[in-house]
Amino acid sequence: MEFWFTEKQTERFGITMKIKRTLHSEKTAFQQLDMVETEEFGNMLLLDGMVMTTEKDEFVYHEMVTHVPLFTHPNPKHVLVVGGGDGGAIREVIKHPSVEKATLVDIDGKVIEYSKKYLPTIACALEDARVDVQVDDGFMHIAKSENEYDVIMVDSTEPVGPAAKLFERGFYEGISKALKEDGIFVAQTDNPWFHQDLITNVYKDVQEIFPITRLYTCNIPTYPSGMWTFTIGSKKHDPLKVEATRFHEIDTKYYTKDIHNAAFVLPKFVQDLLK
Amino acid sequence: MEFWFTEKQTERFGITMKIKRTLHSEKTAFQQLDMVETEEFGNMLLLDGMVMTTEKDEFVYHEMVTHVPLFTHPNPKHVLVVGGGDGGAIREVIKHPSVEKATLVDIDGKVIEYSKKYLPTIACALEDARVDVQVDDGFMHIAKSENEYDVIMVDSTEPVGPAAKLFERGFYEGISKALKEDGIFVAQTDNPWFHQDLITNVYKDVQEIFPITRLYTCNIPTYPSGMWTFTIGSKKHDPLKVEATRFHEIDTKYYTKDIHNAAFVLPKFVQDLLK
């Protein structure tokens, strides 16, 4: 007997993978949480039936959401991750020696708890001395922060359920206020094959608030279409004008200095979404 | 009642899509051919149960297999496509005004026949005056060609069934002989998540035959992992040193001059496959 998990990534398309066993299933206060062991991708975290991260391909998302803004900022000291309870982004953040404090604010403590248990190579940095983990509403945390962070990363689920308000213009205005005067923020903004409107709308909103707005992409096999986008809003530093000397040696599997720059080169149909 | 088609892209992972109806199914002399109408991707060609091309995302593969080598060559006149019976590569080839003759050699005439019928926007150039369509064995065609082509594109199925010998070193030696003294060839070489060995082995074989060997990638949602690779072997012209004046205006949805260069910037784990 074979068990397969299928995520319908749209009403008409999905991915399917062979499952060894379910490790944990729970309806938390915020969402359905499932942790399963897959044959192809190792352990995998699902929230509301959507793949969040897998042991095999997690490095792409976590490196790309982190190192692009952190190398763009000349001296990031205080970094905030909104969401990201699996700890993968935090693990990458603390690879930067300039970082003095990395704050994680995830609304769902269960995500943190079960990531520590079943995704130990991803959650491994959550106990680091520089890391401050808060189980709290990221939207509210942003609302009450002012001039505090060098870099803010929005590592959210899709714009349904608890994360819906993290894709609204008001949230980006709050982020701008929470950032220092040369701060940078990045948000995951889904894919350009099935969610064109989201990319176009977020880009427009961010562009109205931040002087420098950029979109970049990477390849994640377990995410819809395999092409994922991130939107950057920056008050001062341009991710396309990072001085070569700024890049230092870092242990990665996807990100490189050259990938940093190439990731902003967009296929024509993606460029056209930003006009 | 809903109909879904699932392609197991590995033994443990696949994609699934909602089907409106089957347009044609036939066991040809070489392979199982199915043409189906999908809800997400329009009409879709399957060979031996594997997605070959869909109306929605075909432009990526066909532009990237074509324009990268054709802009690298300073004056491509005679171009050969091995496989590619759907006609998509040929459609892109004849966008280059320097091309005097584009020869297509596909072993399976049924692929050509049913692509013309059900994929008319892809097969639209097969009747062009500059196009010579031959139903023949590509391996044999290469074996008997000498100093004939400026650019050869291997637009094959996976290395199982009729295309297996198109991934062997002897075939690349034949291609070298079939090319003119400054000729270039490109082959699709699968994805770096599930087929690392194929990429490593082809790259090594090509490197032993051609002075310039390069790997580049693009994003194709219906292909395994969403990241696809192409391997280039070139006798003289380096795809990374194309003069800016060589690029001319061309009607594309994915390829641009900047994508041409960025496509060769590889994630670290892909770079590592080529060492």
Side-chain angles (χ1 to χ4, degrees):
Chain A
M1 202 159 150
E2 288 190 358
F3 294 95
W4 287 72
F5 161 76
T6 300
E7 178 189 344
K8 279 170 76 171
Q9 297 176 327
T10 77
E11 286 304 303
R12 319 184 287 190
F13 179 74
I15 58 171
T16 186
M17 46 187 118
K18 202 170 169 187
I19 301 300
K20 281 187 186 159
R21 58 187 176 135
T22 298
L23 301 165
H24 184 79
S25 279
E26 177 177 353
K27 181 132 189 61
T28 76
F30 301 97
Q31 52 208 340
Q32 175 64 35
L33 184 161
D34 294 279
M35 194 72 78
V36 298
E37 187 182 351
T38 74
E39 297 224 344
E40 182 69 55
F41 292 97
N43 289 356
M44 172 169 78
L45 169 65
L46 302 167
L47 294 177
D48 289 335
M50 290 179 282
V51 177
M52 288 299 112
T53 199
T54 81
E55 288 181 320
K56 181 168 177 172
D57 71 351
E58 58 88 10
F59 66 91
V60 183
Y61 181 95
H62 294 132
E63 292 179 12
M64 291 301 283
V65 75
T66 300
H67 301 308
V68 174
L70 264 74
F71 276 119
T72 298
H73 194 288
N75 188 27
K77 289 180 181 168
H78 195 179
V79 176
L80 171 67
V81 177
V82 177
D86 55 56
I90 286 288
R91 181 193 64 199
E92 298 302 314
V93 167
I94 65 164
K95 288 181 182 173
H96 289 257
S98 69
V99 171
E100 294 167 2
K101 190 175 173 193
T103 303
L104 175 87
V105 179
D106 196 300
I107 201 167
D108 195 339
K110 295 288 186 182
V111 172
I112 299 167
E113 180 182 346
Y114 287 98
S115 296
K116 282 182 179 172
K117 185 162 182 187
Y118 292 114
L119 303 170
T121 58
I122 302 176
C124 55
L126 290 174
E127 307 286 342
D128 188 276
R130 287 180 287 164
V131 176
D132 173 26
V133 176
Q134 301 180 22
V135 176
D136 203 354
D137 182 334
F139 191 89
M140 291 306 296
H141 183 94
I142 287 292
K144 66 192 180 202
S145 301
E146 204 170 328
N147 193 30
E148 197 164 335
Y149 297 104
D150 297 303
V151 176
I152 296 176
M153 293 142 67
V154 185
D155 181 5
S156 70
T157 56
E158 296 309 281
V160 287
K165 60 192 173 186
L166 305 186
F167 289 86
E168 287 169 10
R169 193 194 147 107
F171 182 61
Y172 305 131
E173 285 167 345
I175 283 179
S176 177
K177 182 176 60 65
L179 285 169
K180 292 182 188 158
E181 63 178 7
D182 67 343
I184 300 172
F185 104 99
V186 64
Q188 72 86 4
T189 41
D190 218 306
N191 80 84
W193 288 95
F194 308 133
H195 283 107
Q196 289 95 341
D197 285 356
L198 180 96
I199 292 172
T200 299
N201 293 338
V202 170
Y203 197 83
K204 201 164 140 265
D205 284 346
V206 173
Q207 212 167 20
E208 283 173 22
I209 300 166
F210 289 85
I212 297 164
T213 307
R214 305 269 183 226
L215 189 87
Y216 64 99
T217 74
C218 65
N219 160 248
I220 303 174
T222 56
Y223 280 11
S225 88
M227 180 190 273
W228 212 247
T229 75
F230 298 93
T231 302
I232 276 191
S234 178
K235 291 185 177 181
K236 184 176 171 192
H237 308 292
D238 188 341
L240 292 180
K241 292 176 184 160
V242 179
E243 284 184 37
T245 55
R246 171 70 186 97
F247 297 101
H248 53 77
E249 195 75 24
I250 198 162
D251 178 31
T252 57
K253 286 190 272 188
Y254 191 97
Y255 180 91
T256 67
K257 175 165 72 74
D258 291 336
I259 281 285
H260 178 114
N261 292 305
F264 291 92
V265 178
L266 304 176
K268 188 161 183 309
F269 79 102
V270 183
Q271 266 182 36
D272 290 344
L273 298 178
L274 310 182
K275 277 175 185 166
Chain B
M1 202 161 150
E2 287 189 359
F3 294 95
W4 287 72
F5 161 76
T6 300
E7 179 188 344
K8 280 171 74 171
Q9 298 176 327
T10 78
E11 286 303 304
R12 320 183 289 188
F13 180 73
I15 57 171
T16 186
M17 46 187 118
K18 201 169 170 188
I19 300 299
K20 280 189 188 161
R21 59 188 174 133
T22 297
L23 300 166
H24 184 77
S25 279
E26 176 177 354
K27 184 135 188 56
T28 75
F30 301 97
Q31 51 209 342
Q32 176 65 36
L33 183 162
D34 295 281
M35 194 73 77
V36 298
E37 186 181 350
T38 74
E39 296 223 346
E40 183 69 57
F41 292 98
N43 289 356
M44 172 169 77
L45 169 65
L46 302 166
L47 293 177
D48 288 336
M50 292 179 280
V51 177
M52 288 298 113
T53 199
T54 81
E55 287 180 320
K56 181 170 177 172
D57 71 351
E58 57 87 11
F59 66 91
V60 183
Y61 181 95
H62 294 131
E63 291 179 11
M64 291 301 282
V65 74
T66 300
H67 300 309
V68 174
L70 264 73
F71 275 119
T72 299
H73 195 289
N75 188 28
K77 288 180 180 170
H78 195 179
V79 176
L80 171 68
V81 177
V82 177
D86 55 55
I90 286 287
R91 180 194 64 200
E92 297 303 313
V93 168
I94 65 164
K95 288 181 181 174
H96 289 258
S98 70
V99 172
E100 293 166 2
K101 191 177 173 189
T103 302
L104 175 87
V105 179
D106 197 299
I107 201 167
D108 195 340
K110 294 288 185 181
V111 172
I112 299 167
E113 181 182 344
Y114 286 99
S115 296
K116 283 183 179 172
K117 185 163 181 186
Y118 292 114
L119 303 169
T121 58
I122 302 176
C124 56
L126 290 174
E127 308 286 342
D128 188 276
R130 287 180 288 164
V131 176
D132 172 27
V133 176
Q134 301 181 20
V135 177
D136 203 352
D137 182 334
F139 191 89
M140 292 306 295
H141 183 93
I142 287 291
K144 66 191 180 201
S145 301
E146 206 170 325
N147 193 31
E148 197 164 333
Y149 297 104
D150 297 301
V151 175
I152 295 176
M153 294 142 66
V154 184
D155 180 4
S156 69
T157 56
E158 296 310 279
V160 288
K165 60 193 173 185
L166 305 185
F167 289 84
E168 289 170 9
R169 192 194 148 108
F171 182 60
Y172 305 131
E173 288 168 342
I175 283 179
S176 177
K177 183 176 60 65
L179 285 169
K180 292 180 187 161
E181 63 178 8
D182 67 343
I184 300 171
F185 103 98
V186 63
Q188 72 85 4
T189 42
D190 219 302
N191 80 85
W193 288 94
F194 309 132
H195 282 107
Q196 290 93 343
D197 285 355
L198 179 96
I199 291 172
T200 300
N201 293 338
V202 169
Y203 197 83
K204 201 164 139 265
D205 284 347
V206 172
Q207 213 165 19
E208 283 171 24
I209 300 167
F210 289 85
I212 298 165
T213 307
R214 306 270 183 226
L215 190 86
Y216 64 99
T217 74
C218 64
N219 159 248
I220 303 174
T222 56
Y223 280 12
S225 89
M227 180 190 272
W228 212 246
T229 75
F230 298 92
T231 301
I232 276 190
S234 178
K235 292 186 176 180
K236 183 175 172 192
H237 307 293
D238 188 341
L240 291 181
K241 292 176 183 160
V242 179
E243 285 186 36
T245 55
R246 171 70 185 96
F247 296 101
H248 53 75
E249 195 74 26
I250 199 163
D251 178 31
T252 58
K253 287 190 273 188
Y254 191 98
Y255 181 90
T256 66
K257 175 166 73 72
D258 291 336
I259 280 285
H260 178 114
N261 292 305
F264 290 91
V265 178
L266 304 176
K268 189 161 181 310
F269 80 102
V270 183
Q271 264 181 37
D272 290 345
L273 299 177
L274 310 183
K275 276 174 186 166

